[in-house]
Amino acid sequence: MSMPTILPSGQLHPNLFNGPFVKQVDSSTSIATGEPGAKVHGNTTAEKGNKIWLEDQGSVIDLSGRFSSKRVDSYDGKKVVENKGMGLIIETIQPGVFTAEDANKSASSGGATHGFFYRKTDFLFSAAQEYTALGENEVFRHRNIDDVNFVRDTLDFFTDGNYTQADVNRMQDQMTAVVRELAQQIKDGGSPDLSKVKTTLSVGGSEVSISQLLEMQKTGRELSESFSGMTSGSLTGHNIEAFAEMGIAKSLGNYYGSNKGEIGKLFSSAVDRLYEKGMAQVEKAEAWGQTITYAANTSGNKDAVKTELNIADLFSKLDTSSKSNFAQSFSSALSQARTLVQQYCNQYNLLTSHVGLAGATDNISKFFQAWMDRN
């Protein structure tokens, strides 16, 4: 008679765990746990419900090495995780941005972000208040109200660095005019309001109001968030969503800028460059992964990265000529993305539920619809 797999008590038979793939560890040992593809940190004690206890013994069967991830290395300051079930996972895009200086530092090393997104305009209001109280000579002589960092980051974002000192000087003069208008609003008994300012700023050969510029700043910052906190190399629900949203962000940048004249075209091109930088980071990390000897760097890992990049590419090419075309092309891309994931799963005998396809599809749709409702 064959050995029962489940004892009458409901526990697994102890002899089932005598094999080359089972490691006995003391019950006090911390075990890293996590779903395939998840980032796992050390010194995490597994919950009791996740442990398999041997009858009448005080030890734990550690199967975490078979099913979970463990950090094994670092690449270019980013985390690298070897997941035995899914492949080599590399944290590809993690700019760690909190200030304009952080953003510019990240951007200089290839990060898909920009200092323009984080520059404040509070100095315009404080300068207007001082102008009202002290007069023009006092304020403009002793205070740099133009904030050259704001000016330079604005020009750099929209022109890809193709600007001159003359452009900086012109925009600084225009910022001074903005302050004068804000001050006049205060003198007239109102509160300073940038949306009422008539002075325009010269950016890349285009004219833009300060309020429209700040709207683009906010939109660009929100879009850039789709390029951060990503991993690649493990086809999970998180990565399916992340790469889809990355592609959608590029298309949204094009759609948003399509009806805003020349400055809108510059904005669209700038978002395109962010997308290209993000994709380059993924490809660079994958090329690095192919040079190392981890057993996890398998064909499954390479195919996962290829699928991720293809998903991003699908959504980056949506038809933005009209709102209806945009929505229809999104639905088509979503269907094609599902097919890509299904093909990957079929190739490696995985259920689509194993990679979280249904949940990812739902979240991608919600992400897109939330943006469409705003525009």
Side-chain angles (χ1 to χ4, degrees):
M1 183 175 179
S2 61
M3 178 185 67
T5 58
I6 302 179
L7 298 174
S9 65
Q11 293 177 298
L12 296 178
H13 196 288
N15 290 340
L16 286 174
F17 303 104
N18 294 326
F21 299 115
V22 178
K23 178 175 65 177
Q24 298 280 344
V25 299
D26 184 79
S27 59
S28 64
T29 302
S30 295
I31 301 173
T33 61
E35 296 178 1
K39 286 183 280 188
V40 177
H41 303 281
N43 301 319
T44 302
T45 305
E47 297 291 336
K48 260 191 174 182
N50 293 332
K51 296 177 181 178
I52 304 172
W53 295 85
L54 290 182
E55 190 173 24
D56 300 324
Q57 296 189 35
S59 58
V60 180
I61 302 298
D62 178 15
L63 300 179
S64 63
R66 294 289 293 168
F67 303 111
S68 303
S69 306
K70 62 181 180 179
R71 192 181 307 169
V72 294
D73 208 336
S74 63
Y75 156 73
D76 196 23
K78 304 176 181 68
K79 299 172 187 173
V80 177
V81 175
E82 181 184 12
N83 183 306
K84 293 182 182 297
M86 300 297 289
L88 191 67
I89 308 162
I90 300 176
E91 184 186 76
T92 55
I93 305 173
Q94 189 66 45
V97 169
F98 302 99
T99 67
E101 284 67 30
D102 292 332
N104 285 334
K105 182 178 179 181
S106 175
S108 66
S109 62
T113 187
H114 200 282
F116 166 68
F117 300 145
Y118 299 89
R119 290 295 174 195
K120 306 294 185 182
T121 55
D122 296 344
F123 67 93
L124 294 173
F125 298 104
S126 60
Q129 293 283 359
E130 292 186 20
Y131 177 87
T132 304
L134 303 177
E136 179 168 333
N137 290 337
E138 183 70 19
V139 174
F140 294 120
R141 182 179 301 167
H142 300 292
R143 178 173 178 162
N144 180 16
I145 61 135
D146 303 332
D147 192 344
V148 70
N149 290 328
F150 180 91
V151 171
R152 287 189 177 278
D153 275 347
T154 299
L155 293 171
D156 185 76
F157 174 74
F158 284 97
T159 70
D160 194 23
N162 187 25
Y163 66 93
T164 66
Q165 184 58 45
D167 296 325
V168 173
N169 296 341
R170 182 186 304 109
M171 190 171 173
Q172 284 185 305
D173 289 341
Q174 292 165 342
M175 296 286 277
T176 297
V178 169
V179 171
R180 289 195 181 99
E181 283 199 54
L182 292 175
Q184 189 60 50
Q185 291 175 10
I186 296 173
K187 290 179 180 179
D188 292 341
S191 299
D193 186 347
L194 288 173
S195 67
K196 297 178 180 179
V197 170
K198 297 179 181 180
T199 297
T200 58
L201 307 176
S202 301
V203 180
S206 302
E207 297 298 314
V208 59
S209 69
I210 184 69
S211 59
Q212 185 180 25
L213 184 66
L214 295 183
E215 177 191 320
M216 290 186 168
Q217 183 190 59
K218 180 176 182 291
T219 300
R221 182 171 63 248
E222 292 174 349
L223 289 175
S224 73
E225 291 173 359
S226 297
F227 304 133
S228 66
M230 292 177 61
T231 63
S232 104
S234 176
L235 201 65
T236 62
H238 171 273
N239 281 11
I240 294 169
E241 285 180 48
F243 278 85
E245 290 177 5
M246 185 176 173
I248 292 170
K250 177 181 181 297
S251 291
L252 283 168
N254 299 152
Y255 179 70
Y256 172 82
S258 61
N259 64 349
K260 292 179 169 55
E262 290 302 314
I263 193 67
K265 293 177 182 178
L266 293 177
F267 179 86
S268 296
S269 296
V271 174
D272 287 351
R273 289 192 293 272
L274 294 181
Y275 172 81
E276 290 164 3
K277 291 179 76 172
M279 293 290 276
Q281 283 206 15
V282 177
E283 292 167 350
K284 182 179 177 182
E286 171 61 8
W288 174 84
Q290 293 179 15
T291 67
I292 58 179
T293 58
Y294 295 128
N297 190 19
T298 62
S299 59
N301 177 229
K302 295 181 177 66
D303 288 338
V305 176
K306 181 180 179 181
T307 302
E308 291 162 354
L309 292 173
N310 285 340
I311 288 172
D313 186 63
L314 275 174
F315 288 104
S316 73
K317 298 176 179 177
L318 301 183
D319 183 352
T320 60
S321 59
S322 70
K323 191 166 187 175
S324 60
N325 288 345
F326 197 20
Q328 290 176 9
S329 62
F330 167 78
S331 296
S332 175
L334 187 61
S335 177
Q336 293 177 67
R338 287 179 59 89
T339 298
L340 287 175
V341 175
Q342 288 167 344
Q343 290 173 344
Y344 175 89
C345 289
N346 291 341
Q347 185 176 355
Y348 293 98
N349 296 317
L350 297 172
L351 296 174
T352 55
S353 58
H354 180 77
V355 299
L357 178 59
T361 300
D362 185 50
N363 289 336
I364 292 166
S365 296
K366 290 177 180 177
F367 175 84
F368 180 77
Q369 191 58 50
W371 274 92
M372 292 298 285
D373 291 343
R374 292 169 51 182
N375 294 281

